[in-house]
Amino acid sequence: MPAPGELIFAAPRRAKPPRHLADLDPAERRAVVAELGEKAFRASQLSRHYFVRLVDDPDEWTDVPRALRRPLAEALMPRLMTAVRHLECDGGTTRKTLWRLFDGALVESVLMRYPDRVTMCVSSQAGCGMNCPFCATGQAGLTRNLSTAEIVEQVVAGARALARGEIPGGPGRVSNVVFMGMGEPLANYKAVLGAIRRLTDPTPEGLGISQRSITVSTVGLVPAIRKLADEGLNVTLAVSLHAPDDELRDELVPVNTRWKIAEVLDAAWYYAEQTKRRVSIEYALIRDINDQAWRADLLGRLLKGRLAHVNLIPLNPTPGSKWTASRPQDEREFVRRLEAHGVPVTVRDTRGREIDGACGQLAAANT
């Protein structure tokens, strides 16, 4: 039975991406290898090459007989995406990549290296069906869901770039993953859940990233939030709220016409109760739209005493958009009002403005 979100916001039917090792759990990988007439341990060898050694060329599988390398690669490690373009800023420590998938669909990922961590922002869909008017991806519409492996490959590609010294700062590893790129993650529930498993499975069966270092964002697909709360995971939930009142949120986040703010926050508090994890409330500050002091007070009253944290996001405007970032003084007052209600708040470090940083902006410019 389709997961919550999939029935309601189904992606267009298109050809399926090729099967990949990262789509499969360890038992399924062994079964594929057995179908090829090979011993089960070959599956573990391939997992180690992919997740640990970060090797994408079968000629480097020196522990696999040469005659087996191509057949195993074709069965379990087909090429999933090709880099179309890299854009860099912050001295090369922020890299945005535009990827072309097997069917020509375009998606984006961003690697951000900080002194104490490396964060990958990944896409879960090509385009997005949520239609939020201030978002470049939302305005592009939904092309299709990504497979589990297409999501994982974005992170593995970032890990390869770090391991190969392509990012300033020397070799490193991806420590954090945020599902905040193109798409609504919970509208592609099954593939996103599979990706979380692969990213957090211990090496060599996965990348070995801590579940606590994974963040999944949503505009508020209530049934899927509740389902995720019951999965037994320790990932962070980020709710893209963007308005504290239904009248405005109906305009900014159209899915609000289906699930109102009270329902979304009830689901978020259920998530916090089940996981004991603080919920991140994402709020893009838009000049003269949602940045009024009275809205800060209303938001503060909604969140006061809850296991929540507000992440204010200065809007990264897209070309031709009427939406733009708040004035600095209005941003400061918004923060002050939330803090007066005892609500923890931070202002996001907006990296990537000079490299078409808004989600979907680079893809839109290349279509």
Side-chain angles (χ1 to χ4, degrees):
M1 180 177 178
E6 292 181 327
L7 278 174
I8 303 161
F9 303 106
R13 285 190 170 275
R14 294 168 68 102
K16 286 187 177 182
R19 178 188 60 189
H20 189 279
L21 176 144
D23 289 311
L24 310 174
D25 65 29
E28 291 168 331
R29 295 170 204 168
R30 290 192 293 271
V32 172
V33 169
E35 288 170 9
L36 296 173
E38 295 302 320
K39 293 184 172 61
F41 74 87
R42 297 290 182 205
S44 294
Q45 287 180 314
L46 266 61
S47 297
R48 184 173 297 278
H49 287 307
Y50 185 72
F51 288 113
V52 180
R53 295 189 62 224
L54 305 171
V55 170
D56 55 357
D57 181 357
D59 288 337
E60 296 183 38
W61 301 350
T62 54
D63 56 349
V64 177
R66 189 177 298 276
L68 297 181
R69 295 174 193 171
R70 291 297 165 184
L72 287 172
E74 289 171 5
L76 280 166
M77 285 205 212
R79 181 175 292 277
L80 295 175
M81 51 184 62
T82 304
V84 175
R85 191 179 179 195
H86 296 297
L87 294 178
E88 298 177 350
C89 64
D90 302 312
T93 59
T94 299
R95 175 194 269 192
K96 184 166 191 173
T97 303
L98 178 67
W99 302 99
R100 190 179 305 280
L101 307 182
F102 82 102
D103 58 355
L106 298 173
V107 298
E108 303 167 9
S109 64
V110 185
L111 182 152
M112 294 163 282
R113 185 169 203 163
Y114 300 90
D116 60 340
R117 67 192 187 281
V118 177
T119 297
M120 285 290 308
C121 180
V122 298
S123 296
S124 54
Q125 296 178 310
C128 183
M130 298 298 105
N131 200 33
C132 300
F134 58 89
C135 172
T137 309
Q139 293 309 291
L142 178 61
T143 300
R144 69 168 173 87
N145 287 329
L146 300 193
S147 67
T148 287
E150 286 174 324
I151 298 169
V152 172
E153 175 65 11
Q154 296 170 61
V155 182
V156 171
R160 287 191 198 110
L162 286 162
R164 294 171 181 175
E166 297 174 15
I167 310 298
R173 64 182 295 274
V174 175
S175 56
N176 298 71
V177 177
V178 294
F179 286 80
M180 292 182 177
M182 298 173 71
E184 161 56 53
L186 296 188
N188 187 16
Y189 190 95
K190 183 179 179 181
V192 165
L193 187 66
I196 293 170
R197 302 285 189 199
R198 296 299 97 74
L199 295 174
T200 60
D201 282 345
T203 58
E205 306 300 349
L207 272 180
I209 297 172
S210 167
Q211 287 186 7
R212 298 174 72 86
S213 298
I214 306 285
T215 298
V216 178
S217 70
T218 179
V219 293
L221 305 191
V222 168
I225 293 173
R226 291 184 173 276
K227 183 175 176 62
L228 186 65
D230 294 330
E231 293 285 358
L233 297 172
N234 284 313
V235 302
T236 297
L237 176 72
V239 176
S240 297
L241 199 67
H242 305 314
D245 55 303
D246 286 319
E247 182 180 8
L248 178 58
R249 195 167 192 264
D250 284 350
E251 178 185 353
L252 296 182
V253 186
V255 76
N256 198 70
T257 60
R258 178 153 191 141
W259 293 294
K260 297 299 185 183
I261 290 171
E263 295 174 271
V264 172
L265 291 181
D266 279 349
W269 307 148
Y270 177 73
Y271 187 90
E273 178 185 356
Q274 293 299 107
T275 64
K276 309 298 187 254
R277 300 282 290 156
R278 185 171 69 169
V279 174
S280 180
I281 302 297
E282 309 291 300
Y283 197 103
L285 282 172
I286 309 171
R287 181 181 298 186
D288 299 328
I289 301 295
N290 67 351
D291 62 353
Q292 300 88 348
W294 71 264
R295 281 197 161 95
D297 284 330
L298 178 54
L299 182 62
R301 289 193 294 272
L302 287 173
L303 304 183
K304 186 173 184 177
R306 297 292 188 173
L307 192 60
H309 166 270
V310 175
N311 187 20
L312 292 178
I313 309 163
L315 186 71
N316 195 344
T318 57
S321 173
K322 67 177 181 179
W323 316 91
T324 192
S326 297
R327 303 172 189 85
Q329 62 268 30
D330 293 335
E331 179 185 295
R332 289 192 295 269
E333 180 63 11
F334 206 95
V335 170
R336 190 189 72 78
R337 297 278 182 130
L338 287 175
E339 289 177 339
H341 288 278
V343 176
V345 56
T346 54
V347 179
R348 181 186 290 179
D349 171 22
T350 53
R351 285 194 173 198
R353 284 181 179 270
E354 62 269 50
I355 55 170
D356 292 327
C359 293
Q361 201 169 322
L362 185 56
N366 284 266
T367 53

